[in-house]
Amino acid sequence: MAIKGAINTSKLAEEINKALLTYTNEVVERVDTLAEFLAKEGVKKLKLTSPKSSGAYARSWKASKIGRSWVIHNVKHYRLTHLLEKGHAKVSGGRTQAYPHIAPVEKELVDEYVKGVEEAIKG
């Protein structure tokens, strides 16, 4: 004898799976959108905060999507990023001045990303 309003357990499992799949897809979509937004914001901030002798280094920052990940990189002057960020030894002795411009932007973006992912999960 079937109880009125009773739910078949196999249908219940299907419904739970559908709900979880929908939730997961929504979270993935929000996180992907957040990553793209933050990558583009990071490029803007790096263009503003990068050392500017001629300005070519600062203008070369780009955000690229590789697979499902976003990467911020300097297209033309990638060899200079570490030297400018950390400074380097001179041939005549001593060191050049460091211009930390990548690390502060990275820290800010990571903090915003973590906060955004937590919000996306909570819904």
Side-chain angles (χ1 to χ4, degrees), residues 2-119:
I3 300 173
K4 187 175 182 179
I7 298 174
N8 185 339
T9 55
S10 63
K11 288 187 179 186
L12 177 62
E14 287 176 23
E15 290 301 316
I16 290 172
N17 283 336
K18 283 181 191 177
L20 286 174
L21 185 60
T22 302
Y23 169 76
T24 302
N25 290 338
E26 289 174 4
V27 169
V28 167
E29 187 176 315
R30 287 184 199 145
V31 170
D32 288 346
T33 303
L34 173 68
E36 180 180 3
F37 172 77
L38 289 177
K40 291 177 180 179
E41 284 298 308
V43 167
K44 289 178 188 176
K45 290 177 183 180
L46 283 168
K47 286 182 177 187
L48 291 174
T49 61
S50 292
K52 293 170 187 71
S53 176
S54 67
Y57 173 77
R59 286 191 304 269
S60 294
W61 289 106
K62 302 284 184 241
S64 300
K65 188 171 186 179
I66 299 175
R68 292 188 60 210
S69 301
W70 282 87
V71 177
I72 300 172
H73 57 104
N74 196 300
V75 177
K76 295 180 183 176
H77 305 282
Y78 55 89
R79 293 176 191 90
L80 291 177
T81 56
H82 181 77
L83 300 175
L84 289 170
E85 181 79 7
K86 305 289 185 182
H88 57 89
K90 295 196 261 182
V91 174
S92 60
R95 293 192 60 81
T96 62
Q97 180 181 351
Y99 296 98
H101 57 288
I102 300 170
V105 173
E106 177 190 20
K107 182 181 180 334
E108 183 179 336
L109 292 176
V110 167
D111 292 344
E112 288 182 37
Y113 184 76
V114 168
K115 182 180 171 189
V117 169
E118 288 173 353
E119 289 175 6

